[in-house]
Every structure is written in structure tokens, then in C-alpha cells.
């Protein structure tokens, strides 16, 4: 329950009341400022402003305000009278606007207009109940005449059974309302409204988007990204500037496709490939221990193809948002952030190559959605260190917040020249919205704050253009043509516009000219400031070298995985995109979480890399200086791969084999290797399976190779023995030949000289026959 007011404020008010009920004269206003008032949290009635037209004080006609009154108390309130109020003295400087925007809600800022009586009345509001109101204020009752920005709003005065009626407002809504008389010497205020489309992006370890519910909410009607696109599209033909992180649109595309995880499956057209079909390779044998798993979305995912699929809310929201975005970006200027909204200041300190990589990737991602996008360097808070600014090329737009100008931030110019490079300076004050106590970031509050900032710039230009009477014509002309300082407004990243009704129509004023950041930076006239204010508190929140190291390690893992896959040309790029999103400004909030996500994704990839196994024999013995042996390489992935084999040894052993080993899906292959060495002994060799770039995949096997070749002495002994043996054989053969030759000669001599034959006359006596 809202606590009852003490009687002191009412007694003070009644004692000073000298006008009809509810009226307040300037004298009474002074008294009300010093009287005790109810704290903002104690206000029982909340007033919101839904529309304000016109958006500036007109020369004639009326100002019309509509909105709602809500009872925040736990008792009913009745006879709620609504009165407008307006200040009598205008604000004419940016400093006054900044102070007013932070003023306490109960501070007196203007006189309540009570004549001709209540401008609207609500009879009764039960606890928690709301009612609409309309207050129409004729121009004739607005006591304002001097150019500037005035306080304007609505007060609610009522009563309840616990709180009597008095002159202290029971609810209030406040805003800025400018009065501008267009000076002949001053041009309109060039105003660039920048709509940011950025969001922190996190991935699961399998490469699918995390926080799907959050994405669905943001992309659906009423969500932040959806509302911002609709808001920008409502500008119609009016110029507007989009600040786009291409990683956000890529994330929406992934959701529209069903949020698939990282795939090792084929992405190349098989008709365009020249790889042989390993499925029918006679040298590849099926792995008996392997089991096939169905691909996501395949027939294995559903028991019956006839079952009705549940609607994918995330896909529907993402598809609709992408269509709206494509149409909205057709008009206006598109500023392309480095992919993933890279922390540029940290990249300048730790890894400049990442910036160039993110810039190139950004241009590729927006090639179809916004082919004419302009690269930009900026940050959500507007802080960039000098090294980050120097990373920008001539074609790159640089945007910083006016807070970087330190003490001069209040009167910061809209564009600077830094090293002959134009730098847009956006107003950080406008990002805080209206003065409250109602919603500071409501549609009306944001618009009126922009107009207030433009009005004081226009008024300042009018003042500066009043050249001294003695000035020559050239001086007066130079001042007159300089024009007011431009206004760059970057909408808050967290802003969720409830609608766009009346916003851009309220900017159609003769002293406001909507344009783009590109047009504003075409002609910088301000010189480079002496120094930029880059606070240590901001520098301390930059991403560190460890964050960049984790991202680089994840990127290398993705490249290694792609080097294996013969039919996939996308996985490395997807992993790189994920690594870049971990280096965003959003990761400054929870850098440990970003490093953890990178580590989890690396583990997912390493599991696939270790699915390529190598098995070596228990040992190998060389009987000479070289020899061949076989190893087995297994592929447990569902896709064909190409690998290589590397060898590490503690001795001078050379292992040679094929340059590449091609494996079909879920297969194993025997590979012949040749080992050679000139040193005998046992050498421990580690065989490692690698990709084609020589990066180890994780699987290895060890084996001892024994070099058992004989020594030189043994070979000499064997040679001498063999020589003796051969000599003995030769001697024996020689002797045998000589013996046979001698025998042959003797046989030949006997044949040449035969023995004499006896005749009958000389026959021996022994052969004679006795008579």
C-alpha cells in the first residue's frame, strides 16, 4: 500500500493557496518548491503519454496529449482531475537539457494551467485499473514566447479514502517541448537517426544457436529486433541509417532453417566433384564395430512420415523477420559492423588480423542483403581507443560517443576530423531518453528528447549567426552558411519501441532535416581534438589475449576438421563465424562464459578428429637397412576423409609411405610403410594420423623398430669363407679336369701304338698240339 501523506504538505499548500482550487500562480510555485512533497516512489497514480501533437509549440492551434492513468495504490481513487503544466523559462543549452533530464521527478519545473478548469476528469480508478485521457491545450493558454525548450506535461490530482485532496500532484508525466522560430540565417539541423541491430550471440557445442527462446521472443512481434525493424521501416521515404551486425542476420537464417547443428556431411555438389567413390573401393573394408546414425531430419528421426509436425515458432519468427529486414534495408544507409560486433579496441591491442578477418566476413555476409553497406567502426558505448580508430580505412565510417571528448562532451560537435578521417560523434545524452517519472524510453519521450537536442543546436546557430554590426559582408556570410551543428542519434541497444505511430511525422519540422551518417560526415569542419577520453574503467573491460587465443584455437580446430572432409567446404567457415561472435562487445559482460563456449565447441570437434585411428604392429625388425611393414587406419566418421601419416622417432629412422590416405565412411585400410635406418639398435617410433596440412588429429600408436643388420667384420669373414669355398671348388674342378684329361691322353696313346700279333709260323710252343 502506498503510504498516506502527512498533513504537513496539505497544510502548507492550503496556507499558501490564494487562487481557485488547483490553480498555481508564480508566487505559489516558489512556495511549492520549498514545501515537502511526496517521493516519486510514493506517487499513487502513474501517467503515461501515448501521443503528443504537434511535437513543437505551434504558432496557433492547440497541443493535444493522450495517454493512460493507472492506479498503483491498493485503494480506489476518485475525481481524478488532469491539468497540463508548462515552464515559463526555456532551456537554451545542451547542459541545461542534461541537467533537466536527470532532475528529481518531484522538483518543481513549471506552472500548472488550471484555467478554464480540469482539462480531463476520471471519475474512479480501482486498484490496478487504468483509464485513458485526452488533454487539449490551446496555444493561447501557453504562456511561452521565447525560443528554446520548455518543460511540458500533465498532473493528476485526486482523492481516496486514505488521502484527502490537496494541490500536490498525485501523478505526473513530464517531457520536453521546443519552441523554434526558424531564423532566416540558419539552415535546418541535419539529424541522423541510427537504428542498431546487434545482439549477443552464443552457440551450443554442436554449433547450433543457444537461447532459442530468447531469439524467438526478440524476433517475434513485440520483441526488440522485430520492433526495431518495424520502427525503421516506418520512416518511409525519410532517410535513416541502419547499424547492422551481419552475424545477427546469419543467426536468424540458421533459426529459419531449423537451427541445425554443425555438420560434417557433404555440402559440395557430387556432380562437380572429381573424388573417386570410396564406397566401392576394394581396398577398404567395413569396420565391424561401426554403427551408422541417421542424419538430422532424416527418416530415422520420425516413426512415421505421416505424423503432423509441430510448428517451429523460432523458424517462423526468423523467416518473417528476415523478410521485413530485407525490405527495410532497401532504403536508407546501412553501416556494417565487423562480423560478430567485434571488440575492435581489444583486437587492435591483441590481434589485428582478427579485425581484417571480421571485416571481410562482414562484407561477404551482407553481399545479398545490403550490397552497398558501408563498413563502420564503433562500440555500443561510443568508446574507441586511438589504435581502434587507426584501423579504419578511408572507406570506413567511424562513430564515437561525445563522452570521449571529456569536459567538452556537452557541446561536442556532430562530426570531427581525425587524421583527415571524418568521425561522426553521436549524442549519448539522447540515449537516456526523456526526464521521467514516466517511461524515459517511451516513443514520445525519445522523440521529444531528440527534438530538444536539435532545437538548442538550431538556437545556438541562430545566436552565432548574429554577426556584429561592424562585421563585413564576407564574415556575416561565412557565419550564416556554416549552419547548425549536426545531430547524430544512435538509439539505445535495449530500446523496444512499442510502435512507430507519429514518431517520424513529429520530426517533419522546417528546422529539422533528416539525413544519414554518411551525408553528415561528407564535410567535416571541426579539427581533431587534443585528446580523447578513454577511461581506464572501459579499458579494463576489454577482452584479453586469452579470449583471442581461445577463439583462434577454435578456428584452427574447424580448419583441421575441414581438411579431413572431402565433400564439405563449409564447416571451417561456420566455426570461424562462431569464434568471431565470442569476441564481441557483448562478451565483455561474461568473458569466461565466452571462453567456455569456445572450449566446448573445440571438444566437440576434437571428438570427431579422434575418430580417425591408426594401429601399428607390436614391433618391426629390419634385416637390412630398410624394410616394409603395414599399419591400419580406421575412419569412424559417417563421411569419407583424406588423411596423412607422420612419424616421430628418437633415432635416425626414416618412415616413408603414401602422401595421402583416402578412407570411405566407416571403413579401415591397411597402409604399407617403409622404414630405413643406418644405425643398428632399437628405435621407438610414434605414428601419428594428421590432416593434409600436417596437424595431428589426436590418434597415434607407438612401435619399436629393431635394426639387426650384420657388422662389416662378419661380412668379411663370410666373404673369406665363401672365397675359400669357391677356391676349393675351383681347385677340385681343376684337378678333376686335369685327371680326366690325363686319362684321355693315355687312352689316346694306347690306341696309337697297339701290341704285336703272333703268326702260325711263329706260334709259341705252348700252343702247339702234340702229334
Amino acid at each position: 500500500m502506498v503510504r498516506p501523506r502527512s498533513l504537513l504538505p496539505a497544510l502548507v499548500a492550503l496556507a499558501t493557496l490564494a487562487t481557485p482550487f488547483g490553480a498555481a500562480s508564480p508566487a505559489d510555485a516558489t512556495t511549492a518548491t520549498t514545501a515537502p512533497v511526496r517521493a516519486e516512489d510514493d506517487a499513487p497514480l502513474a501517467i503515461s503519454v501515448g501521443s503528443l501533437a504537434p511535437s513543437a509549440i505551434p504558432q496557433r492551434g492547440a497541443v493535444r496529449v493522450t495517454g493512460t492513468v493507472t492506479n498503483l495504490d491498493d485503494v480506489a481513487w476518485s475525481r481524478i482531475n488532469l491539468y497540463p503544466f508548462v515552464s515559463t523559462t526555456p532551456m537554451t543549452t545542451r547542459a541545461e537539457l542534461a541537467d533537466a533530464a536527470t532532475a528529481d521527478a518531484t522538483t518543481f519545473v513549471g506552472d500548472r494551467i488550471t484555467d478554464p478548469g480540469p482539462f480531463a476528469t476520471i471519475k474512479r480508478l480501482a486498484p490496478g485499473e487504468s483509464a485513458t485521457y485526452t488533454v487539449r491545450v490551446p496555444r493561447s493558454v501557453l504562456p511561452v514566447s521565447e525560443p528554446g525548450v520548455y518543460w511540458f506535461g500533465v498532473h493528476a490530482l485526486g482523492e481516496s479514502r486514505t488521502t484527502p485532496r490537496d494541490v500536490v500532484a498525485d501523478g505526473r508525466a513530464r517531457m520536453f517541448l521546443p519552441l523554434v522560430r526558424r531564423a532566416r540565417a540558419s539552415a535546418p539541423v541535419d539529424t541522423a537517426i541510427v537504428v542498431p541491430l546487434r545482439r549477443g550471440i552464443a552457440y551450443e557445442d554442436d554449433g547450433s544457436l543457444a537461447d532459442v527462446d530468447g531469439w524467438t521472443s526478440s524476433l517475434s512481434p513485440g520483441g526488440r529486433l522485430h520492433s526495431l525493424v518495424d520502427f525503421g521501416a516506418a520512416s518511409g521515404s525519410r532517410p535513416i541509417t541502419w547499424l547492422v551486425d551481419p552475424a545477427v542476420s546469419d543467426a536468424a537464417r540458421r533459426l529459419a532453417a531449423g537451427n541445425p547443428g554443425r555438420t560434417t556431411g557433404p555440402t559440395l555438389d557430387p556432380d562437380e566433384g572429381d573424388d573417386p567413390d570410396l564406397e566401392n573401393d576394394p581396398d577398404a573394408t567395413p569396420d565391424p564395430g561401426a554403427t551408422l546414425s541417421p542424419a538430422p531430419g532424416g527418416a530415422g528421426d520420425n516413426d512415421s512420415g505421416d505424423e503432423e509436425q509441430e510448428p517451429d515458432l523460432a523458424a517462423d519468427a526468423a523467416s518473417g523477420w528476415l523478410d521485413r529486414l530485407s525490405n527495410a534495408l532497401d532504403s536508407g544507409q546501412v553501416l556494417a559492423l565487423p562480423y560478430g560486433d567485434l571488440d575492435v579496441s581489444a583486437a587492435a591491442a591483441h590481434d589485428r588480423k582478427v579485425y581484417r578477418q571480421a571485416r571481410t566476413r562482414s562484407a561477404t555476409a551482407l553481399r545479398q542483403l545490403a550490397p552497398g553497406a558501408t563498413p563502420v567502426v564503433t562500440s555500443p558505448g561510443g568508446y574507441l581507443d586511438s589504435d581502434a580508430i587507426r584501423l579504419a580505412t578511408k572507406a570506413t565510417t567511424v562513430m564515437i560517443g561525445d563522452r570521449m571528448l571529456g569536459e567538452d562532451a556537452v557541446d561536442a560537435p556532430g562530426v570531427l576530423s581525425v587524421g583527415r578521417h571524418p568521425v561522426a560523434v553521436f549524442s549519448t545524452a539522447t540515449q537516456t531518453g526523456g526526464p521521467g517519472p514516466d517511461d524515459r524510453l517511451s516513443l514520445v519521450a525519445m522523440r521529444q528528447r531528440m527534438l530538444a537536442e536539435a532545437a538548442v543546436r538550431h538556437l545556438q546557430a541562430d545566436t552565432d549567426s548574429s554577426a556584429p554590426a561592424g562585421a563585413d559582408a564576407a564574415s556575416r556570410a561565412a557565419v550564416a552558411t556554416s549552419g547548425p551543428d549536426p545531430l547524430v542519434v544512435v538509439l539505445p541497444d535495449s530500446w523496444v519501441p512499442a510502435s512507430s505511430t507519429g514518431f517520424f511525422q513529429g520530426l517533419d519540422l522546417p528546422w529539422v532535416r533528416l539525413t544519414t551518417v554518411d551525408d553528415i560526415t561528407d564535410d567535416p569542419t571541426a579539427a581533431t581534438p587534443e585528446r580523447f577520453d578513454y577511461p581506464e574503467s572501459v579499458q579494463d573491460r576489454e577482452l584479453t589475449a586469452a579470449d583471442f587465443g581461445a577463439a583462434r584455437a577454435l578456428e584452427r580446430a574447424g580448419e583441421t576438421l575441414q581438411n579431413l572432409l572431402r565433400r564439405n567446404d563449409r564447416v571451417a567457415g561456420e566455426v570461424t563465424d562462431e569464434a568471431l561472435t565470442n569476441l564481441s562487445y557483448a562478451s565483455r559482460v561474461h568473458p569466461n562464459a565466452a571462453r567456455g563456449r569456445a572450449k566446448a565447441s573445440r571438444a566437440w570437434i576434437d571428438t570427431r578428429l579422434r575418430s580417425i585411428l591408426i594401429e601399428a604392429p607390436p614391433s618391426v625388425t629390419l634385416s637390412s637397412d630398410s624394410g616394409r611393414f603395414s599399419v591400419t587406419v580406421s575412419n569412424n566418421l559417417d563421411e569419407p576423409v583424406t588423411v596423412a601419416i607422420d612419424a616421430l622417432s628418437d633415432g635416425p629412422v626414416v618412415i616413408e609411405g603414401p602422401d595421402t590416405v583416402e578412407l570411405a565412411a566407416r571403413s579401415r585400410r591397411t597402409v604399407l610403410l617403409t622404414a630405413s635406418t643406418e644405425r643398428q639398435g632399437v628405435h621407438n617410433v610414434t605414428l601419428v594420423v594428421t590432416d593434409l596440412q600436417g596437424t595431428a588429429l589426436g590418434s597415434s600408436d607407438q612401435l619399436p623398430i629393431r635394426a639387426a643388420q650384420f657388422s662389416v667384420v662378419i661380412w668379411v669373414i663370410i666373404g673369406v669363407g665363401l672365397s675359400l669355398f669357391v677356391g676349393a671348388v675351383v681347385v677340385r674342378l681343376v684337378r678333376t679336369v686335369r685327371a680326366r684329361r690325363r686319362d684321355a691322353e693315355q687312352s689316346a696313346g694306347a690306341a696309337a701304338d697297339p701290341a704285336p700279333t703272333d703268326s702260325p709260323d711263329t706260334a709259341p710252343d705252348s700252343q702247339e698240339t702234340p702229334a
Side-chain angles (χ1 to χ4, degrees):
M1 173 179 178
V2 178
R3 64 177 179 270
R5 287 172 288 180
S6 66
L7 293 178
L8 180 58
L11 293 175
V12 173
L14 289 174
T16 58
L17 189 59
T19 58
F21 179 77
S25 66
D28 299 330
T30 304
T31 306
T33 305
T34 59
V37 292
R38 183 170 48 251
E40 181 178 358
D41 293 342
D42 289 338
L45 303 178
I47 305 178
S48 66
V49 177
S51 68
L52 172 68
S55 55
I57 298 176
Q59 294 296 326
R60 61 183 61 88
V63 178
R64 186 173 180 270
V65 186
T66 66
T68 61
V69 179
T70 303
N71 181 6
L72 303 180
D73 207 343
D74 55 5
V75 296
W77 280 73
S78 58
R79 294 176 56 204
I80 303 172
N81 296 327
L82 299 173
Y83 299 90
F85 72 88
V86 67
S87 59
T88 56
T89 303
M91 293 170 278
T92 59
T93 65
R94 302 184 209 177
E96 288 178 316
L97 285 179
D99 292 339
T102 58
D104 187 85
T106 58
T107 301
F108 174 82
V109 293
D111 296 325
R112 189 179 302 148
I113 302 173
T114 60
D115 188 20
F119 285 72
T121 299
I122 299 174
K123 293 183 179 180
R124 189 177 186 278
L125 280 181
E129 187 179 5
S130 298
T132 60
Y133 70 88
T134 299
V135 171
R136 184 178 182 276
V137 187
R139 175 64 176 89
S140 59
V141 303
L142 292 175
V144 296
S145 58
E146 294 298 322
V149 178
Y150 290 86
W151 283 99
F152 182 77
V154 177
H155 283 174
L157 291 87
E159 59 186 26
S160 71
R161 61 180 176 82
T162 59
T163 305
R165 183 179 296 274
D166 56 25
V167 295
V168 179
D170 301 301
R172 54 177 63 84
R174 305 182 305 175
M175 66 203 78
F176 298 137
L177 189 63
L179 172 60
V180 176
R181 294 174 180 172
R182 186 177 182 183
R184 287 176 296 178
S186 177
V189 179
D190 286 334
T191 303
I193 298 177
V194 182
V195 181
L197 298 179
R198 52 178 18 140
R199 186 188 191 278
I201 302 174
Y203 288 88
E204 301 287 357
D205 59 353
D206 65 349
S208 61
L209 274 177
D211 189 23
V212 175
D213 290 342
W215 278 99
T216 304
S217 176
S218 185
L219 298 174
S220 299
R224 183 176 65 85
L225 291 175
H226 188 284
S227 299
L228 285 173
V229 171
D230 285 352
F231 171 83
S235 63
S237 59
R238 301 174 185 87
I240 197 172
T241 303
W242 298 91
L243 182 65
V244 180
D245 175 11
V248 173
S249 57
D250 277 359
R253 290 190 189 95
R254 181 175 290 275
L255 287 174
N259 194 24
R262 191 180 301 112
T263 178
T264 57
T267 59
L268 293 170
D269 187 348
D271 296 334
E272 298 179 359
D274 56 358
D275 291 335
D277 186 6
L278 293 181
E279 302 298 334
N280 298 321
D281 194 335
D283 295 333
T285 58
D287 187 350
T291 58
L292 296 176
S293 58
D301 290 344
N302 299 312
D303 295 333
S304 174
D306 297 333
E307 292 183 1
E308 184 178 355
Q309 297 289 331
E310 294 184 1
D312 190 338
L313 299 180
D316 293 342
S319 298
W321 183 81
L322 286 170
D323 291 340
R324 284 180 167 82
L325 178 65
S326 178
N327 295 329
L329 296 186
D330 287 341
S331 60
Q333 180 191 11
V334 178
L335 297 178
L337 291 163
Y339 195 90
D341 196 11
L342 178 71
D343 186 341
V344 181
S345 295
H350 303 296
D351 194 342
R352 297 194 172 195
K353 182 180 177 182
V354 170
Y355 169 77
R356 295 189 292 269
Q357 186 178 10
R359 177 59 66 204
T360 301
R361 180 68 184 95
S362 178
T364 303
L366 287 178
R367 185 171 297 164
Q368 293 183 349
L369 193 62
T374 302
V376 66
V377 172
T378 187
S379 72
Y383 286 107
L384 291 173
D385 66 2
S386 56
D387 290 337
I389 295 177
R390 281 192 287 267
L391 285 178
T393 62
K394 185 177 181 181
T396 302
T397 297
V398 178
M399 287 200 311
I400 63 173
D402 53 15
R403 287 178 293 188
M404 285 194 64
L405 301 182
E407 296 179 355
D408 299 328
V410 175
D411 296 318
V415 61
L416 292 172
S417 179
V418 179
R420 297 185 179 181
H421 195 292
V423 175
V425 182
F426 63 85
S427 170
T428 56
T430 56
Q431 294 183 324
T432 62
D438 51 323
D439 185 5
R440 296 175 181 268
L441 298 181
S442 68
L443 199 70
V444 173
M446 288 293 297
R447 185 192 66 190
Q448 295 307 117
R449 181 60 187 272
M450 294 181 196
L451 289 177
E453 295 288 340
V456 295
R457 282 166 167 78
H458 191 279
L459 181 61
Q460 183 65 39
D462 281 345
T463 302
D464 294 341
S465 64
S466 301
D472 55 18
S475 300
R476 290 196 299 270
V479 174
T481 56
S482 62
D485 195 57
L487 173 63
V488 180
V489 178
V490 179
L491 300 177
D493 289 321
S494 59
W495 192 46
V496 184
S499 70
S500 58
T501 304
F503 185 91
F504 290 99
Q505 291 79 356
L507 299 178
D508 294 335
L509 297 170
W511 45 275
V512 175
R513 179 170 56 201
L514 290 182
T515 184
T516 63
V517 172
D518 191 24
D519 291 337
I520 285 179
T521 55
D522 277 347
D523 186 23
T525 57
T528 304
E530 295 182 0
R531 62 178 298 273
F532 285 120
D533 185 13
Y534 192 71
E536 291 185 6
S537 59
V538 176
Q539 185 174 2
D540 291 342
R541 291 198 299 270
E542 288 181 2
L543 298 182
T544 64
D547 300 312
F548 283 82
R552 280 299 190 189
L554 175 58
E555 179 187 4
R556 288 192 296 269
E559 293 173 350
T560 301
L561 180 60
Q562 173 139 1
N563 289 338
L564 299 181
L565 304 173
R566 297 172 50 204
R567 300 174 183 174
N568 188 305
D569 64 342
R570 297 180 185 174
V571 65
E574 292 179 353
V575 174
T576 298
D577 290 349
E578 178 182 346
L580 290 175
T581 60
N582 287 333
L583 298 176
S584 69
Y585 283 104
S587 296
R588 286 185 174 187
V589 181
H590 299 293
N592 292 336
R595 289 196 298 270
R597 291 193 300 268
K599 183 178 180 180
S601 292
R602 275 183 55 201
W604 187 96
I605 295 174
D606 289 344
T607 300
R608 273 72 188 167
L609 298 180
R610 294 191 182 98
S611 297
I612 315 299
L613 305 176
I614 185 170
E615 299 178 36
S619 63
V620 172
T621 300
L622 302 180
S623 59
S624 63
D625 59 353
S626 65
R628 303 184 71 185
F629 65 97
S630 63
V631 297
T632 301
V633 183
S634 303
N635 174 22
N636 293 321
L637 295 177
D638 294 330
E639 305 299 331
V641 299
T642 301
V643 298
I645 299 174
D646 194 10
L648 305 175
S649 173
D650 59 0
V653 177
V654 177
I655 305 297
E656 297 178 340
D659 293 335
T660 62
V661 178
E662 296 180 344
L663 297 168
R666 299 287 179 175
S667 68
R668 59 174 57 183
R669 165 172 292 191
T670 299
V671 181
L672 290 178
L673 302 179
T674 300
S676 59
T677 182
E678 296 179 354
R679 181 182 300 177
Q680 69 175 358
V682 178
H683 306 285
N684 294 318
V685 176
T686 301
L687 299 179
V688 181
V689 60
T690 70
D691 66 359
L692 299 185
Q693 304 299 323
T695 303
L697 305 183
S699 175
S700 63
D701 200 2
Q702 290 184 338
L703 75 159
I705 294 181
R706 180 183 299 275
Q709 62 265 36
F710 297 107
S711 65
V712 176
V713 176
I714 294 177
W715 284 113
V716 170
I717 295 174
I718 293 176
V720 171
L722 182 60
S723 300
L724 293 175
F725 174 75
V726 172
V729 172
V730 171
V731 171
R732 185 176 181 82
L733 290 175
V734 170
R735 290 178 179 178
T736 302
V737 170
R738 289 178 177 178
R740 290 180 178 179
R741 184 179 296 173
R742 186 172 54 252
D743 291 343
E745 291 176 351
Q746 291 177 356
S747 298
D753 187 18
T757 303
D758 293 339
S759 62
D761 295 332
T762 60
D765 294 341
S766 60
Q767 295 182 356
E768 292 181 358
T769 302

